[in-house]
């Protein structure tokens, strides 16, 4: 089985964005109370949004299940307040739940959290519990910069995050560290802000004792770990100079990288440098880069092809394609078993 | 000849920091006018600060000349105002000039600019001209985030930077894009802020027509280009999606990466992916990572060893070690010729 740990619902039916646009417009009118309202999308619209995109690519590329979450760039936690983010997150998460219910063999849910700048992360616990306990989700996306490129929140190792982390540990769900869009003109969202956030989070983890405090806490750093594998020597050297544990020890049970690196040489470096136990297959399709690489004739984000071509033994390949996802997102095991049983496999 | 394009005076005699500490302390007393004052350092103190460090490493590792600039993490443009930065930059640059005068075979100067948050970059032109015209410097370090981790300045492609760029073009000097220390708790300086700035600058260049406007403008993106070579496929794909020129064309005459990547696999990727014409040898010694790699028994930042071991033909090796530095920093040619002639070579 091949589990893609990194997919967003970037192709959601237009009604979702129409609702969001109306919500944002209403923020300008202080007389209007924030309203949850409804998003009217039919099952057929959901099917249509996926059949020609994520489902088609799963079939064509040969992956089985996608760990699926709301569109990351649309989370935009910097807009409005905590209620704004809660209403928006609930709609986005409910829609992911409908996707997973319609296609239980193809998608397993991960939730968007209703973060808001300056608001304690503990306020997100309710929505996390709802998504895990009621909707059957298996993880969350955690935004280390709810301000959208101004980086006004404390580092991920700050104790203000701990109540949320304790809930994650209790529920046995990991978080993918994933920023959203940037409202800072310096940072292109998918070309700079995403990658910078990955690098930033890793260095925060390196310099603090977060995983001593919470040994069962697990993070996936997407986009191949940002700049980290390329600069692995720098990070090994910094860890040594700072008298921190060796990187292998630091990340072993707590920090994992996905394979969203869109060329063979990058994937080869990742697989060579990072222990196979800490790599999860991911593609982010349909996501940041949508074109076909003229050098290969294949989609840039068809990351399975790079891994197929890489020098990997069968055991490591199985870990990366399946076993590590089952280890890091353990709730997926029950989903896949129940799904298979229900369909008589 | 082997030219190291990236060295900072991290070992400057203590009197420099004593002056800076007093300057910062004086900022708290609004009754005291900002004063340039003097920094008392003897030639022997300068020699002592270099003989056991940069000069020793040049000899041991086999590099000849270092393009040398003030300590990057100490620029701290976010402290005080433009006058604060001017006084501090002048002292730092004057000290680099003394180093280059004492050791004309070993060091060629690059200046710190007196940037300050919210102040137009054009205010730096005077100090740039002084350093180039009077002190014989061959380039400058340009901080894309004078706020020190809050990223409040416009992107490097904004027209507010153009007057400074026009002066660079007129003087025929490039800039290394180099942030300073971070006063944002999210960003470890050398582990996150430096690398993020490199990635950020590249994406800014990718999305604008800066080099159409100023075809002779040249930037060095240090630390191996941040995350860029590792994510080369992502950037190629983004350029294609955004209908921008192919990366090779975009960077050809304008954007160059150094080799401050502290492990063999990272250097191998850089050399494989980025055209040899766009790579300059650099080590950043004595800099961010000071230890010895227990896996190799050699200093992490002894980047010459990695390049020596890499699969490179002689022509590309010469470009990376010498010819590209002469091309990107053309004023170095006169310095090296004059220096050699003066010493009867």
């Amino acid at each position: 089985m091949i589990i893609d740990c990194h997919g967003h619902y970037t192709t959601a039916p237009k009604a979702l964005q129409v609702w969001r646009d109306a919500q944002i417009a209403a923020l300008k009118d202080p007389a209007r109370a924030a309203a949850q309202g409804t998003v009217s999308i039919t099952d057929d619209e959901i099917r249509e949004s996926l059949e020609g995109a994520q489902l088609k690519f799963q079939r064509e590329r040969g992956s089985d299940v996608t760990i699926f979450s709301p569109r990351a760039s649309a989370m935009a936690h910097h807009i409005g307040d905590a209620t704004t983010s809660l209403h928006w997150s609930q709609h986005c998460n409910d829609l992911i739940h409908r996707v997973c219910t319609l296609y239980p063999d193809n998608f397993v849910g991960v939730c968007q959290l209703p973060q808001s700048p300056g608001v304690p992360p503990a306020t997100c616990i309710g929505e996390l519990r709802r998504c895990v306990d009621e909707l059957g989700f298996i993880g969350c996306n955690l935004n280390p910069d709810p301000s959208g490129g101004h980086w006004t929140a404390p580092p991920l190792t700050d104790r203000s995050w701990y109540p949320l982390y304790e809930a994650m540990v209790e529920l046995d769900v990991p978080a993918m560290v994933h920023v959203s869009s940037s409202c800072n003109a310096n940072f292109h969202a998918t070309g700079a802000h995403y990658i910078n956030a990955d690098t930033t989070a890793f260095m925060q983890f390196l310099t603090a004792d977060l995983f001593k405090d919470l040994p069962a806490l697990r993070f996936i750093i997407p986009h191949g770990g940002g700049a980290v594998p390329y600069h692995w020597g720098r990070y090994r050297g910094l860890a040594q100079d700072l008298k921190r544990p060796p990187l292998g020890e630091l990340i072993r049970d707590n920090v994992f990288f996905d394979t969203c690196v869109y060329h063979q040489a990058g994937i080869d470096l990742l697989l060579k440098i990072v222990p196979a136990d800490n790599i999860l297959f991911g593609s982010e399709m349909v996501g940041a880069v949508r074109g076909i690489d003229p050098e290969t004739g294949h989609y840039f984000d068809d990351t399975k092809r790079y891994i197929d071509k890489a020098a990997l033994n069968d055991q490591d390949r199985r870990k990366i394609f399946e076993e590590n996802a089952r280890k890091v997102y353990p709730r997926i095991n029950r989903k896949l078993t129940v799904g298979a049983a229900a369909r008589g496999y």
Side-chain angles (χ1 to χ4, degrees), chain A:
Chain A
M1 172 174 280
I2 295 182
I3 303 171
D4 184 340
C5 79
H6 192 171
H8 303 294
Y9 198 6
T10 50
T11 59
K14 281 183 185 166
L16 185 68
Q17 191 58 44
V18 169
W19 183 93
R20 175 66 163 169
D21 291 344
Q23 183 196 37
I24 294 169
L27 291 172
K28 291 175 190 149
D29 180 359
R32 286 170 66 181
Q36 172 72 306
T38 51
V39 176
S40 293
I41 293 175
T42 66
D43 285 355
D44 276 347
E45 285 171 333
I46 293 175
R47 288 189 192 98
E48 195 183 341
S49 73
L50 295 163
E51 285 291 349
Q54 289 86 353
L55 288 167
K56 172 170 166 276
F57 289 131
Q58 279 186 355
R59 284 189 298 266
E60 285 180 4
R61 301 180 186 180
S63 66
D64 298 293
V65 183
T66 300
I67 298 177
F68 206 53
S69 59
R71 191 174 154 216
S73 65
M75 298 189 297
H77 295 114
H78 58 276
I79 295 175
D81 59 17
T83 302
T84 314
S85 276
L86 180 61
H87 288 167
W88 175 229
S89 297
Q90 286 175 334
H91 279 308
C92 290
N93 292 331
D94 286 348
L95 194 59
I96 294 295
H97 178 54
R98 289 181 63 193
V99 167
C100 298
T101 305
L102 282 171
Y103 296 97
D105 288 340
N106 300 92
F107 298 103
V108 182
V110 151
C111 69
Q112 168 177 332
L113 294 173
Q115 297 175 251
S116 192
V119 177
T123 57
C124 300
I125 295 172
E127 178 64 4
L128 175 67
R129 285 193 190 282
R130 183 181 82 91
C131 290
V132 175
D133 289 338
E134 297 175 27
L135 308 185
F137 284 20
I138 63 168
C140 59
N141 290 335
L142 184 74
N143 185 345
D145 173 28
S147 74
H150 295 292
W151 292 92
T152 55
L156 291 176
T157 49
D158 186 84
R159 291 201 166 251
S160 58
W161 296 94
Y162 278 34
L164 177 60
Y165 295 162
E166 285 158 5
M168 285 166 52
V169 169
E170 181 205 320
L171 295 166
D172 205 11
V173 298
M176 179 174 280
V177 178
H178 207 308
V179 288
S180 184
S181 56
S182 159
C183 55
N184 184 327
N186 282 286
F187 305 126
H188 185 278
T190 53
H193 193 39
Y194 281 23
I195 306 294
N196 291 351
D198 305 334
T199 308
T200 299
F202 183 84
M203 194 63 199
Q204 292 176 1
F205 296 150
L206 190 157
T207 47
D209 286 329
L210 176 59
F211 304 120
K212 270 194 191 164
D213 293 343
L214 295 162
L217 186 65
R218 299 182 300 280
F219 290 106
I220 302 91
I221 302 187
H223 321 108
V228 172
Y230 176 49
H231 283 289
W232 198 247
R234 187 179 191 87
Y235 291 102
R236 286 201 294 111
L238 284 169
Q240 182 172 292
D241 287 357
L242 295 166
K243 307 201 184 314
R244 301 292 305 164
L247 297 192
E249 192 180 309
L250 174 92
I251 68 174
R252 187 177 301 131
D253 300 319
N254 305 100
V255 181
F256 303 86
F257 299 149
D258 77 10
T259 64
C260 294
V261 177
Y262 297 155
H263 64 147
Q264 188 69 46
I267 288 286
D268 289 344
L269 174 84
L270 171 69
L271 300 181
K272 181 172 188 175
I273 291 300
V274 176
D277 288 328
N278 294 78
I279 301 173
L280 275 65
F281 171 64
S283 72
E284 211 179 352
M285 68 88 173
V286 178
V289 177
R290 306 211 172 178
I292 289 173
D293 185 348
E295 293 184 8
T296 66
H298 299 285
Y299 284 97
F300 280 106
D301 67 2
D302 185 357
T303 54
K304 180 168 171 294
R305 297 186 68 89
Y306 310 129
I307 298 166
D308 285 342
K309 278 197 185 174
L312 270 182
N313 63 47
D314 289 348
Q315 189 188 1
D316 286 348
R317 202 178 300 274
R318 272 199 308 276
K319 286 179 179 177
I320 291 167
F321 275 139
E322 177 179 359
E323 292 170 11
N324 292 342
R326 289 180 179 273
K327 174 180 74 177
V328 175
Y329 293 86
R331 281 176 175 262
I332 201 172
N333 294 311
R334 191 163 171 280
K335 300 297 288 184
L336 297 177
T337 311
V338 169
R343 283 172 298 285
Y345 300 164

